Amino acid sequence: MNEFELIERFFARPARHAALGIGDDCAFVAPEAGQLFAVSTDMLVEGRHFLPDADPENVGHKTLAVNLSDCAAVAAQPRYAFLACALPDADPAWLAPFARGFFALADRYGVELVGGDTTKGPRTLCVTIFGEVPPGGALLRSGAQAGDMIWISGEVGRARVGLALERGEPVDPVPAHLQHEALQAMHRPEPRVDLAIGLRGVATSGIDISDGLLGDLGHILERSAVGAEIFLPRIPASAWLHERALDPQTAAWGREFVLAGGDDYELCFTAPVARAEAVRAAGRAAGVAVTPIGRIRRDPGLLVLDADGAPLDIALIRSFDHFRGAGE
Ligand code: ADP
Ligand code: MG
């Protein structure tokens, strides 16, 4: 199979909304009248973001999901995707399930693959996503206001538990039902697109939690020039993980999993207190749990409070950073 046969067999589909899709040197796309394109790129590298023996269908799902999550973070409706891939070989046994996972998610969100690039090399998958957002309807990191409530969708820490299971990290035995949930969260994250769109005009700022709650909320605080206090017991995570975060024997990693576990792709957003009911309604409409975890403060800095309201020492808890060396 040569490069063009590979594209034809696994990726080329007729254009639907695009004026010109796969097959020429460029794709032609336009946003609906009155909308802006929100454009973002995210890359997955074998050995870094997924293991060489990872299920290719999951890799196909996650490659697109992390990009849809970027659209969700700004409340854009995803529309068009480009897929650049380096592949070690043209192996249909890998490509067919990869394409199945990719297109199953694309079809659910009405996303059209309109172009890309294919080259031989260490397996790397890079999607560029074009979403649509009305000017003024976007959720930016910079919009949080003192007094706003801080919310998160779904549950955090699950993908981090999944990673611990995959790596065989010496954490306490994970209950069977959580094992399944954790691996599912890690391999097949669900982008919170519908929730985010329901939060247009309600939330004041937003971000997706890809690197961990503290770090990603930290980006909102920095860009909005505000501080925050959040309550550890209110953060939605499994009861099992909360118990680990409380027990002095396991608190070090338990807290880190809740506060800094990455890869969950939940939304963290802020909204005025007066819009709390509208936030809950958006959660119900999207079928996603939304939980308030704290408040934005005028004073800079991020306080994490325990059940007694005492601030925890979070100096050693840090979010994921690709270029941070071990022991640094
Ligand atoms: P060029 O030589 O101009 O880079 P290519 O021969 O790489 O073009 O690609 C031919 C067509 O196939 C283009 O429309 C390109 O966007 C599309 N394409 C290439 N690789 C992929 C891919 N992995 N997924 C989707 N479309 C692709
Ligand atoms: Mg090319």
Coordinates of all heavy atoms in Angstrom, one line a residue, residues 9 14 21 60 62 71 102 104 109 112 146 166 170 179 185 189 192-193 207 216 225 233 285 289 291 295 312 319 323:
R9 N -7.8 4.8 1.5 CA -8.5 3.6 2.2 C -9.0 4.0 3.6 O -10.0 3.6 4.0 CB -7.5 2.5 2.2 CG -8.1 1.3 2.9 CD -7.4 0.0 2.5 NE -7.6 -1.1 3.5 CZ -6.9 -2.1 3.7 NH1 -5.8 -2.3 2.9 NH2 -7.2 -3.0 4.6
P14 N -16.0 11.8 1.5 CA -16.5 12.9 0.7 C -16.8 14.1 1.6 O -17.2 14.0 2.8 CB -17.9 12.4 0.2 CG -18.0 11.0 0.5 CD -16.9 10.6 1.5
G21 N -12.6 19.2 0.3 CA -12.1 18.4 1.4 C -10.8 17.7 1.0 O -10.0 18.4 0.3
G60 N -7.1 6.2 18.3 CA -7.9 7.0 17.3 C -8.9 7.9 18.0 O -9.0 9.1 17.7
K62 N -8.7 9.0 21.2 CA -8.1 10.0 22.1 C -7.4 11.1 21.3 O -7.4 12.3 21.7 CB -7.1 9.3 23.0 CG -6.6 10.2 24.1 CD -5.9 9.5 25.2 CE -5.3 10.4 26.3 NZ -4.7 9.7 27.4
C71 N -11.6 22.6 22.0 CA -12.7 23.4 21.5 C -13.7 23.6 22.7 O -14.2 24.7 22.9 CB -13.5 22.6 20.4 SG -12.7 22.7 18.8
F102 N -11.3 7.0 15.6 CA -11.3 8.5 15.2 C -12.6 8.9 14.6 O -13.2 9.9 15.1 CB -10.2 8.7 14.2 CG -10.0 10.1 13.8 CD1 -9.0 10.9 14.4 CD2 -10.7 10.7 12.8 CE1 -8.8 12.2 14.1 CE2 -10.6 12.1 12.5 CZ -9.6 12.8 13.1
A104 N -15.6 7.4 14.7 CA -16.7 7.2 15.6 C -16.9 8.4 16.4 O -18.1 8.9 16.6 CB -16.5 5.9 16.5
Y109 N -19.8 14.1 16.9 CA -19.7 15.5 17.1 C -19.9 16.3 15.8 O -19.7 17.5 15.7 CB -18.5 16.0 17.8 CG -18.6 15.6 19.3 CD1 -18.1 14.5 19.8 CD2 -19.3 16.5 20.2 CE1 -18.2 14.2 21.2 CE2 -19.5 16.2 21.5 CZ -18.9 15.0 22.0 OH -19.1 14.7 23.3
E112 N -15.7 17.0 10.5 CA -15.3 16.5 9.2 C -13.8 16.5 9.0 O -13.2 17.5 9.3 CB -15.9 17.5 8.2 CG -16.5 16.9 6.9 CD -17.2 18.0 6.1 OE1 -17.9 18.8 6.7 OE2 -16.9 18.1 4.9
A146 N -13.3 38.2 40.7 CA -13.3 38.0 42.1 C -14.8 37.8 42.6 O -15.7 38.5 42.1 CB -12.8 39.2 42.9
E166 N -1.7 1.1 34.7 CA -0.9 0.7 33.5 C 0.6 0.6 33.9 O 1.2 -0.3 33.4 CB -1.0 1.7 32.4 CG -2.4 1.7 31.8 CD -2.4 1.3 30.3 OE1 -1.7 2.0 29.6 OE2 -3.2 0.4 30.0
P170 N 3.0 1.5 42.8 CA 2.6 0.8 44.1 C 1.6 1.6 44.8 O 1.9 2.1 45.9 CB 4.0 0.8 44.8 CG 4.8 2.0 44.3 CD 4.3 2.1 42.9
Q179 N -11.2 0.4 38.6 CA -10.2 0.0 37.6 C -10.8 0.2 36.2 O -10.1 0.9 35.4 CB -9.8 -1.5 37.7 CG -9.0 -1.7 39.0 CD -8.4 -3.1 38.9 OE1 -8.2 -3.7 37.9 NE2 -7.9 -3.6 40.1
A185 N -11.4 6.3 31.5 CA -11.1 7.7 31.5 C -9.8 8.0 30.9 O -9.6 9.0 30.2 CB -11.1 8.2 33.0
P189 N -11.3 9.5 26.9 CA -11.8 10.7 27.5 C -13.0 11.2 26.7 O -13.0 11.1 25.4 CB -10.7 11.7 27.5 CG -9.7 11.2 26.5 CD -9.9 9.7 26.4
R192 N -16.0 17.6 26.8 CA -17.3 18.2 27.3 C -17.8 19.3 26.4 O -18.1 20.4 26.9 CB -17.0 18.7 28.7 CG -16.5 17.7 29.7 CD -17.5 16.5 29.8 NE -17.1 15.5 30.9 CZ -17.7 14.4 31.0 NH1 -18.6 14.0 30.2 NH2 -17.3 13.6 32.0
V193 N -17.9 19.0 25.2 CA -18.3 20.0 24.2 C -19.7 20.6 24.5 O -20.0 21.8 24.5 CB -18.3 19.4 22.8 CG1 -18.9 20.4 21.7 CG2 -16.8 19.1 22.4
I207 N -11.3 26.4 31.1 CA -10.1 25.7 30.6 C -10.4 24.2 30.7 O -11.3 23.8 31.4 CB -8.9 26.0 31.5 CG1 -7.6 25.6 30.8 CG2 -9.0 25.5 32.9 CD1 -6.4 26.2 31.5
D216 N -4.0 23.7 35.8 CA -4.9 24.3 34.8 C -5.7 25.5 35.4 O -5.9 26.5 34.8 CB -5.7 23.2 34.2 CG -4.9 22.3 33.3 OD1 -4.0 22.9 32.6 OD2 -5.1 21.1 33.3
A225 N -5.6 37.4 36.5 CA -5.0 38.2 37.5 C -5.8 38.2 38.8 O -6.2 39.3 39.4 CB -4.7 39.7 37.0
P233 N -12.2 18.5 50.0 CA -13.3 17.6 50.2 C -14.4 17.7 49.1 O -15.2 16.8 48.9 CB -13.9 17.8 51.6 CG -12.8 18.6 52.3 CD -12.1 19.4 51.2
A285 N -28.7 19.6 31.1 CA -29.0 19.5 29.7 C -27.9 18.7 29.0 O -28.2 18.0 28.0 CB -29.1 20.9 29.1
A289 N -22.3 15.9 35.3 CA -22.3 16.5 36.6 C -21.4 17.7 36.7 O -20.4 17.8 36.0 CB -21.7 15.4 37.6
T291 N -19.9 20.5 39.6 CA -19.7 20.6 41.1 C -18.9 21.9 41.4 O -17.8 22.1 40.8 CB -18.9 19.4 41.6 OG1 -19.5 18.2 41.1 CG2 -18.8 19.4 43.1
R295 N -14.0 29.4 45.3 CA -14.3 30.8 44.9 C -13.0 31.5 44.4 O -11.9 31.2 44.8 CB -14.7 31.6 46.2 CG -16.0 31.4 46.7 CD -17.1 32.0 45.8 NE -18.3 32.0 46.5 CZ -18.9 33.0 47.2 NH1 -18.3 34.2 47.1 NH2 -20.0 32.8 47.8
L312 N -3.8 23.6 52.9 CA -2.8 22.5 52.8 C -1.6 23.0 52.2 O -1.6 24.0 51.4 CB -3.4 21.4 51.8 CG -4.7 20.7 52.3 CD1 -5.3 19.9 51.2 CD2 -4.4 19.8 53.5
S319 N 1.6 20.2 38.5 CA 1.0 19.6 37.4 C 2.0 19.0 36.4 O 3.2 19.3 36.5 CB 0.1 20.6 36.7 OG -1.1 20.7 37.4
F323 N 8.7 19.0 30.1 CA 10.1 19.3 30.2 C 10.7 19.4 31.5 O 11.8 19.8 31.7 CB 10.4 20.6 29.3 CG 10.1 20.4 27.9 CD1 9.0 20.9 27.3 CD2 11.0 19.6 27.1 CE1 8.7 20.6 26.0 CE2 10.7 19.3 25.8 CZ 9.6 19.9 25.2

